[in-house]
Amino acid sequence: MSKCEQCIIRKFSSLRALNKEELIKISGCKVSRVVKKGDILFEEGDHLKGVFCIREGACKLTKLSPNGKNHIVKFITKGDLLGQRSVISDESVNLSAVAVNDMEVCFIPREEIMTSFKGNPDFSVEVVRDICYDLKNSDDGAVNMAQKNVKQRLADSLLYLHDTFGEDVDGFIKVQLSREEIAGMVGTATESLIRMLSEFSKKGLIEVKGKRIKITSILKIQNVSDGIM
Amino acid sequence: MSKCEQCIIRKFSSLRALNKEELIKISGCKVSRVVKKGDILFEEGDHLKGVFCIREGACKLTKLSPNGKNHIVKFITKGDLLGQRSVISDESVNLSAVAVNDMEVCFIPREEIMTSFKGNPDFSVEVVRDICYDLKNSDDGAVNMAQKNVKQRLADSLLYLHDTFGEDVDGFIKVQLSREEIAGMVGTATESLIRMLSEFSKKGLIEVKGKRIKITSILKIQNVSDGIM
DNA sequence: AGAAACGTATGACAATTATCATATTTTTTT
DNA sequence: AAAAAAATATGATAATTGTCATACGTTTCT
């Protein structure tokens, strides 16, 4: 089993603020686990006993809307921590986490996180910084949802996916989502989403091959997002 | 000048986790200030040098959408702290704060907050808890914005206002907003909002007297919010 | 291989919402 | 108190988006 000290996640998440002793301690009690595509890490209402480190793969954070649709709030990818919010505030999670591809995750028990949080100010500042960043993004997202139309929101979602997952060798976004899932991100009906994807495709903004999507012109998509059409 | 130790705000915000010495120290360097209705506490992009304690009155947190409309993200009222996020993460604010009525606020310099945050684990846990709570609400809000229609969102906004400001003696919500401001909360055109208010009024869900709004049946509004119409 | 199930796509239509024009009312200013 | 400005209200219409029906293509299962 590999040690936390050498793990890449440490470099990019709030864990970077931990000292050697803390890392060794965590290394000893963490549990590694493989999560298959479609598997559920946790569900709305669950009480988490620790945080997940994503070593490989990605998952979506979803929330069941009152209308019965599954809304994708965001994606958590390699190098991210998952579950910080509810572990530290000691509340049940308000979102479900489902793997969008095969994952490899480590589980760090709540006690370890809290001990470091209370004992290591550098760590607590980093954790809060992470959560504040999420809060800022969430507020921005809410404004976009409220003020933009579906076309603009689709543009936003495509840019977000591109940003989060990057491109493969052919320039396609490195994640495969169903049309229904994308509709769930954008907040629209699946049929409407499909139509809009074809429209974007016809206008040469994107190229679609099955589930794979390539952004042909970031600038043009950016313009759509900003309402310049 | 009154002391922080006796201030009501202390009881309801994360400040309750501060000890006597910390409170006395803060008491000594805080600055009280009166903010008139319509005055700006800070604007998108500003770098805050401390947090505000709201002793009296309320302000709206708004964000200018790419479409040029002012979206109201939330309200901060008596007893709340304002600016924690950006003070602790040491980033510029992403929202503007504008007084919706006359306010009385205290300003606590950044250094005081950070010293306590780093030195008093109880306080840092409370602060994070507050921010986590905001994050949870923001995520929920984003989902509602994305998945609900305008009518449902108006119901949500009315319930939120009722919750946040309470009722006056006649049962009207204790805040007066322009139609444009409410439209900015809901994320719709002002004309659409006005129509929907009349519709709610005709159906007996609310009673409208000028800028004053009374919810006649919380249950019915709740049902509208949930899509039961 | 064939059937069933599912995801994707498209047409037709209805419902929702935005926009523009124009009253009407309220508030502010002079 | 009258005039001007701003906010509220309503009608007409267009644009956007959702819903239902149906067809087509893929995947899955036996």
Side-chain angles (χ1 to χ4, degrees), chain A residues 79-221:
Chain A
D80 289 338
L81 284 184
L82 174 61
Q84 292 185 92
R85 188 196 69 74
S86 60
V87 161
I88 289 173
S89 69
D90 198 22
E91 286 181 6
S92 60
V93 287
N94 59 321
L95 303 168
S96 302
V98 180
V100 293
N101 45 39
D102 292 349
M103 300 175 77
E104 201 188 321
V105 305
C106 286
F107 184 83
I108 304 174
R110 177 168 201 277
E111 295 73 44
E112 297 309 312
I113 297 293
M114 288 314 285
T115 304
S116 292
F117 185 85
K118 290 186 178 172
N120 181 345
D122 289 342
F123 178 60
S124 52
V125 168
E126 283 305 315
V127 167
V128 178
R129 209 173 289 229
D130 276 5
I131 296 174
C132 286
Y133 180 76
D134 285 346
L135 176 57
K136 173 174 155 21
N137 280 333
S138 183
D139 279 339
D140 288 355
V143 173
N144 281 343
M145 284 298 175
Q147 305 283 355
K148 290 186 174 183
N149 62 29
V150 176
K151 200 175 293 186
Q152 292 175 297
R153 300 207 301 265
L154 172 56
D156 281 346
S157 295
L158 290 173
L159 290 171
Y160 172 75
L161 289 174
H162 184 262
D163 237 50
T164 309
F165 293 98
E167 297 181 358
D168 66 14
V169 279
D170 301 319
F172 287 89
I173 296 171
K174 230 190 283 178
V175 67
Q176 303 212 359
L177 301 170
S178 68
R179 301 289 190 265
E180 194 180 354
E181 284 177 308
I182 303 176
M185 289 180 70
V186 175
T188 189
T190 307
E191 297 96 321
S192 299
L193 174 101
I194 290 173
R195 272 180 243 275
M196 227 153 263
L197 273 183
S198 333
E199 190 192 321
F200 278 23
S201 184
K202 270 177 203 145
K203 286 188 180 162
L205 303 175
I206 61 174
E207 191 186 324
V208 179
K209 271 193 182 155
K211 281 198 181 1
R212 304 193 311 144
I213 298 173
K214 164 155 61 174
I215 296 184
T216 316
S217 163
I218 295 267
L219 184 65
K220 283 184 188 168
I221 294 280

Side-chain angles (χ1 to χ4, degrees), chain B:
Chain B
M1 195 197 296
S2 60
K3 289 180 192 145
C4 293
E5 281 180 83
Q6 288 135 23
C7 179
I8 35 97
I9 299 171
R10 202 184 71 104
K11 294 185 192 147
F12 304 111
S13 70
S14 51
L15 299 181
R16 80 181 93 84
L18 295 180
N19 58 41
K20 203 160 186 172
E21 295 89 66
E22 288 170 318
L23 282 170
I24 290 170
K25 184 132 182 286
I26 284 180
S27 223
C29 55
K30 74 163 204 300
V31 181
S32 290
R33 187 177 139 200
V34 168
V35 181
K36 288 274 166 199
K37 177 176 177 173
D39 281 359
I40 296 168
L41 283 140
F42 55 75
E43 281 184 293
E44 251 178 284
D46 283 359
H47 205 85
L48 297 191
K49 294 191 173 61
V51 301
F52 296 92
C53 291
I54 316 298
R55 289 172 62 98
E56 198 56 62
C59 67
K60 56 181 178 181
L61 291 185
T62 68
K63 187 173 163 65
L64 198 62
S65 83
N67 302 353
K69 286 183 185 167
N70 251 107
H71 183 82
I72 297 181
V73 174
K74 63 178 290 191
F75 290 90
I76 304 287
T77 56
K78 182 174 172 173
D80 291 337
L81 284 185
L82 174 62
Q84 291 185 93
R85 189 197 71 73
S86 60
V87 161
I88 289 174
S89 70
D90 197 21
E91 286 180 7
S92 60
V93 288
N94 58 321
L95 303 168
S96 302
V98 180
V100 293
N101 44 41
D102 292 349
M103 301 176 76
E104 200 187 323
V105 304
C106 286
F107 183 83
I108 305 174
R110 177 166 200 278
E111 296 72 45
E112 296 309 312
I113 297 292
M114 288 313 286
T115 303
S116 291
F117 184 85
K118 290 187 178 172
N120 180 346
D122 289 343
F123 178 61
S124 51
V125 169
E126 284 305 316
V127 168
V128 179
R129 210 174 289 232
D130 276 4
I131 295 174
C132 287
Y133 180 76
D134 285 346
L135 177 56
K136 174 174 154 20
N137 281 335
S138 183
D139 280 339
D140 288 356
V143 173
N144 282 344
M145 284 297 174
Q147 305 283 355
K148 290 185 174 182
N149 62 31
V150 175
K151 200 175 292 184
Q152 292 176 297
R153 299 207 301 266
L154 172 55
D156 282 345
S157 294
L158 290 173
L159 289 171
Y160 172 75
L161 290 174
H162 184 262
D163 238 50
T164 309
F165 293 98
E167 298 180 358
D168 67 13
V169 279
D170 301 318
F172 287 88
I173 295 171
K174 228 189 284 177
V175 67
Q176 304 212 359
L177 300 170
S178 69
R179 302 290 190 263
E180 194 180 353
E181 283 176 309
I182 302 176
M185 289 181 71
V186 174
T188 191
T190 307
E191 297 95 320
S192 299
L193 174 102
I194 290 172
R195 272 180 243 275
M196 226 154 264
L197 273 182
S198 336
E199 190 191 322
F200 278 23
S201 184
K202 270 178 203 146
K203 286 188 178 160
L205 303 175
I206 60 174
E207 190 185 324
V208 179
K209 269 194 184 156
K211 282 197 179 5
R212 304 193 311 145
I213 298 174
K214 165 155 61 174
I215 296 183
T216 316
S217 162
I218 295 267
L219 183 66
K220 282 184 189 169
I221 294 279
Q222 191 66 255
N223 283 340
V224 172
S225 157
D226 292 337
I228 306 165
M229 312 190 186

Side-chain angles (χ1 to χ4, degrees), chain A residues 151-152 155 200 205 220-229:
Chain A
K151 200 175 293 186
Q152 292 175 297
F200 278 23
L205 303 175
K220 283 184 188 168
I221 294 280
Q222 193 65 256
N223 282 341
V224 173
S225 157
D226 293 337
I228 306 165
M229 312 192 187

